[in-house]
């Protein structure tokens, strides 16, 4: 996205020219590949992109990879503090309500039958302690996320926007999403992980190669994003989506932890880490501002639990002109 993409292009009626297949047919075929042979799905997607079947896969035009001054960040209407320091107010509110309700009910129960409920309180403390030691508080996090999903439509919307940001940026950067979840319960059921609100799984074959960061890694904007740049962009795609839609972020702490860990593993300096994160933030926010309507439409479809093939169909049908020639 070196320059804003021109608006007003007509919508395309088919995904591509592969034997006249429609978006629906390509969507079904992609879902079948993801179901039967997920390891080959990214290779197939790249082949279809080369053949012109998937015209938007890996076609993101990004801002040059370089350090951006505070003045430039203001020009892009980006406040890093609002993006890099998420505060999950809904989860905080739900936690406070649960603790208040439990305290009131437990206090009343103690007065009615002290011995029985005192022992129950000790048991709850033991469970909480075990959860913290064995699962890092994952059981409590799963409880809060499930409660927030049940009680707050705003929370469900925010999570769907966040995950749609990951899916959309990954696809436009040439990394195929394999599956996603919109709640901690879904993530636990599908992947057996705790302490997450939601999540998306991607397949980037190039990630098997060891990427490196060098002092001049931001100097050549004509080169396509390398592995670590793609990873950085996708990692911040959810936060960028929240920032574009809501003007601030609430979820995504784990995304930042994962990105910081990856950059530390590459032995990136503090300066390189800061520059990479700021570039990825500016690039993804700028990209998703251009795709804001598509982002909202994709999030709505994901709340209906659309398949990855259907998500690809939505992305491909949105504009007829690819982002990068």
């Amino acid at each position: 996205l070196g320059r804003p993409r021109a608006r007003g292009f007509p919508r395309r009626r088919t995904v591509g020219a592969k034997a006249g297949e429609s978006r629906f047919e390509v969507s079904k075929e992609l879902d079948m590949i993801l179901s039967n042979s997920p390891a080959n799905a990214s290779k197939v997607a790249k082949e279809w992109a080369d053949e012109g079947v998937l015209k938007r896969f890996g076609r993101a035009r990004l801002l040059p990879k370089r350090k951006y001054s505070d003045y430039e960040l203001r020009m892009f209407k980006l406040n890093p503090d609002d993006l890099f320091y998420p505060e999950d107010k809904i989860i905080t509110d739900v936690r406070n309500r649960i603790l208040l309700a439990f305290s009131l009910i437990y206090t009343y129960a103690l007065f009615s039958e002290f011995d029985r409920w005192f022992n129950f309180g000790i048991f709850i403390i033991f469970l909480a302690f075990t959860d913290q030691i064995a699962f890092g508080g994952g059981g409590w996090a799963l409880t809060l996320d499930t409660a927030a999903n049940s009680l707050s439509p705003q929370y469900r919307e925010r999570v769907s926007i966040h995950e749609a940001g990951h899916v959309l940026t990954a696809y436009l950067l040439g990394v195929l999403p394999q599956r996603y979840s919109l709640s901690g319960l879904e993530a636990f059921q599908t992947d057996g992980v705790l302490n997450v609100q939601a999540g998306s799984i991607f397949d980037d074959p190039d990630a098997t190669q060891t990427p490196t960061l060098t002092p001049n890694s931001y100097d050549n904007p004509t080169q396509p994003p390398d592995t670590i740049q793609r990873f950085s962009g996708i990692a911040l795609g959810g936060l960028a989506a929240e920032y574009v839609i809501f003007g601030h972020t609430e979820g995504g702490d784990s995304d930042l932890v994962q990105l910081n860990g990856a950059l530390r593993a590459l032995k990136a300096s503090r300066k390189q880490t800061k520059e990479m994160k700021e570039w990825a933030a500016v690039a993804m926010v700028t990209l998703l501002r251009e795709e804001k309507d598509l982002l909202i439409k994709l999030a709505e479809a994901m709340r209906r639990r659309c398949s990855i093939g259907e998500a690809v169909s939505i992305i491909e049908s949105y504009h007829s002109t690819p982002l990068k020639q």
Side-chain angles (χ1 to χ4, degrees), residues 57 83 87 150 159 198:
F57 185 70
L83 193 145
E87 181 183 358
S150 301
V159 171

Side-chain angles (χ1 to χ4, degrees), residues 99-297:
L99 292 176
L100 177 60
F102 178 81
S103 299
L104 293 175
I105 294 172
Y106 185 66
T107 301
Y108 176 80
L110 279 176
F111 279 104
S112 65
E113 195 173 348
F114 180 82
D115 291 340
R116 176 183 176 185
W117 289 103
F118 178 79
N119 292 332
F120 177 75
I122 297 297
F123 177 68
I124 292 296
I125 293 174
F126 171 76
L127 287 181
F129 180 78
T130 302
D131 178 49
Q132 287 293 332
I133 297 300
F135 306 109
W140 177 233
L142 178 61
T143 301
L144 291 177
D145 177 77
T146 302
N149 267 290
S150 301
L151 299 173
S152 174
Q154 292 84 2
Y155 182 80
R156 294 193 294 272
E157 179 187 17
R158 197 266 296 167
V159 171
S160 67
I161 288 290
H162 186 103
E163 293 308 318
H166 284 307
V167 169
L168 181 55
T169 54
Y171 187 83
L172 295 178
L173 290 172
V175 176
L176 185 68
Q178 290 197 330
R179 62 183 183 275
Y180 65 89
S181 60
L182 297 183
S183 71
L185 184 59
E186 285 182 40
F188 178 71
Q189 291 172 336
T190 56
D191 300 307
V193 295
L194 288 169
N195 220 359
V196 297
Q197 294 177 342
S200 301
I201 304 296
F202 308 95
D203 180 24
D204 185 1
D206 296 335
T208 56
Q209 304 174 6
T210 303
T212 57
L213 285 172
T214 59
N216 63 349
S217 61
Y218 308 96
D219 293 340
N220 191 350
T222 62
Q223 294 181 353
D226 63 16
T227 302
I228 189 59
Q229 290 157 5
R230 282 198 304 272
F231 178 82
S232 300
I234 297 168
L236 294 186
L239 288 166
E242 289 190 44
Y243 190 84
V244 167
I245 300 300
F246 306 116
H248 65 279
T249 59
E250 293 195 21
D253 283 328
S254 60
D255 297 337
L256 292 170
V257 169
Q258 190 176 20
L259 177 56
N260 287 331
L263 294 175
R264 280 197 302 270
L266 292 170
K267 295 179 170 43
S269 67
R270 287 187 178 181
K271 179 182 177 182
Q272 288 176 316
T273 298
K274 183 175 183 292
E275 289 181 358
M276 178 62 78
K277 289 168 62 177
E278 288 186 351
W279 167 77
V282 173
M284 295 306 106
V285 167
T286 308
L287 175 65
L288 292 179
R289 278 175 178 161
E290 285 293 306
E291 305 291 346
K292 183 176 180 179
D293 292 341
L294 171 57
L295 175 64
I296 294 172
K297 183 177 180 181

Side-chain angles (χ1 to χ4, degrees), residues 46-62:
K46 288 186 177 182
E47 290 176 354
W48 287 358
D50 292 339
E51 295 169 3
V53 178
L54 301 177
K55 295 186 178 297
R56 306 205 73 194
F57 185 70
R59 296 295 191 264
R61 278 194 306 189
L62 302 177

Side-chain angles (χ1 to χ4, degrees), residues 298-318:
L298 181 60
E300 291 173 349
M302 289 173 64
R303 286 199 293 274
R304 298 192 298 269
R305 299 307 192 270
C306 71
S307 67
I308 291 298
E310 291 167 339
V312 167
S313 178
I314 291 170
I315 297 170
E316 287 290 334
S317 66
Y318 196 72

Side-chain angles (χ1 to χ4, degrees), residues 72-91:
E72 289 176 308
L73 293 177
R74 289 195 298 271
M75 290 291 292
F76 285 114
K77 298 180 180 179
L78 176 61
N79 182 354
D81 289 343
D82 290 336
L83 193 145
F84 289 131
Y85 300 97
E87 181 183 358
D88 205 330
K89 297 178 181 179
I90 295 178
I91 285 290

